[in-house]
Amino acid sequence: MKIFKFGGASVKDAAGVKNVLQVLQTVGHEDVLLVISAMGKTTNALEIVIKNYFEKSKELYSSIQDIRKYHNQILLDLFEDEEHEVYFDVTAHFDDLEYFVRSNKSPNYSFVYDQIISIGELVSTTIVSHYLNESGITNQWLDVRNFIKTDNTYRDANVNWEQTQKLISKINRKKSLFVTQGFIGADENNFTTTLGREGSDYTAAIFAYCMGAESVTIWKDVPGVLNADPRYFENAVLLNQISYREAIELAFYGASVIHPKTLQPLQKKEIPLYVKSFVNPTLPGTSVSKGADLEPKTSCFIVKKNQILISLSSIDFSFIMEENISEIFGLFHKYKIKVSLIQNSAISFSVCVEDKFEKFNELKTVLSKKFKVSYNENVSLYTIRHFDAASAEVVEKDKNVLVKQISRETLQIVTQQ
Ligand code: ASP
Ligand code: MG
């Protein structure tokens, strides 16, 4: 079994869906499981629906309507026959969504978020699956919620590996092509959960692990893993081969090409990961596999925008020591704020964090009871793996550097954006 993952950008319009067909025709589709994300920017659009829902906005139904229309145009471009059952299946998913927003009683934000946001993947896979069938590539659509079981940490669910393994093992492998949703799962009550934004790569890794797959391929709009994000750096180069370890480091520091949770399950079973271009599917792209000697010698540049640099100092000039630090980290964990850099001195402690779930204000109030809290919002964190003087110069030039930290392989700086 090979696992292929197609992200939102690869299926953002009818041409994208047709291209998926072409990729499959070019590289083969025997014994393949496709994991597909929501089309284009649908997940962001659904986040607006969620916002409208909670704000009881008049725009609620029109924001849903916008998403229906976007998909309907893709359907019209792909299926001439407007009586084709794909139209009914897609409509049914949107009707479920409207039914949910009309009848839901739960005030739990994260629960509601997952029930709404998951429609994107249900719809995209419905469209792709029908289109492939229609084009002669017979496949079976799987509702991933019957296979990936998680706890009920909505928006950031943890996989129940034992149950997931059991359920995935039951898939009848005689069918040779499967299409399923990335990003989503279900808890023990069968409510929909999600694995965290951009989590479809992780879904591919979960299936690969549980099926003992031969490989995972992530099809991207870039030629593979580059040493820098071309949006922010000039002259990015392709990394042909990297080790799991290097890929984990890059993902940890924020390289957005691979979701950070993806690599551990693959590495455990030594399943190779390929990152390839969906535009040029026959090119080798990047392969991520075992082997320390595969580490790139090339400097790798990673930038994380919209970080917050927080500095805490003790109100009475006492030292910030083990017990304060463990308390502070306990709070970061509680508020789901991800720490990406730490620096401390005797009486102050600085951290660069990412506030994905918009909890910083709450946390700040709690911290202010014990510490003097100062912070800079909207800072950028630059990381260079395998840095040298020249690469450091590229990043530091013309920037207002707030914090700098150097270890053997890695240089990090926090700058005002
Ligand atoms: N559609 C989801 C998101 O945009 C999951 C993914 O794309 O991996 O976050
Ligand atoms: Mg996406």
Side-chain angles (χ1 to χ4, degrees), residues 378-390:
N378 284 325
V379 299
S380 298
L381 171 65
Y382 289 85
T383 303
I384 315 177
R385 292 272 300 154
H386 315 292
F387 67 98
D388 55 24

Side-chain angles (χ1 to χ4, degrees), residues 121-140:
E121 270 69 15
L122 292 168
V123 170
S124 71
T125 50
T126 299
I127 296 176
V128 173
S129 172
H130 275 293
Y131 181 72
L132 295 176
N133 274 329
E134 194 62 25
S135 312
I137 298 193
T138 311
N139 66 88
Q140 192 184 349

Side-chain angles (χ1 to χ4, degrees), residues 223-228 230 233-240 286 298-300:
V225 179
L226 304 176
N227 76 324
F233 297 97
E234 289 168 17
N235 310 325
V237 296
L238 178 70
L239 305 171
N240 299 310
T286 300
T298 333
S299 297
C300 295

Side-chain angles (χ1 to χ4, degrees), residues 5 7-9 37-44 121 183 197-200:
K5 181 258 178 173
S37 311
M39 294 178 149
K41 301 266 180 257
T42 302
T43 306
N44 293 351
E121 270 69 15
F183 179 50
R197 282 299 309 263
E198 309 302 332
S200 296

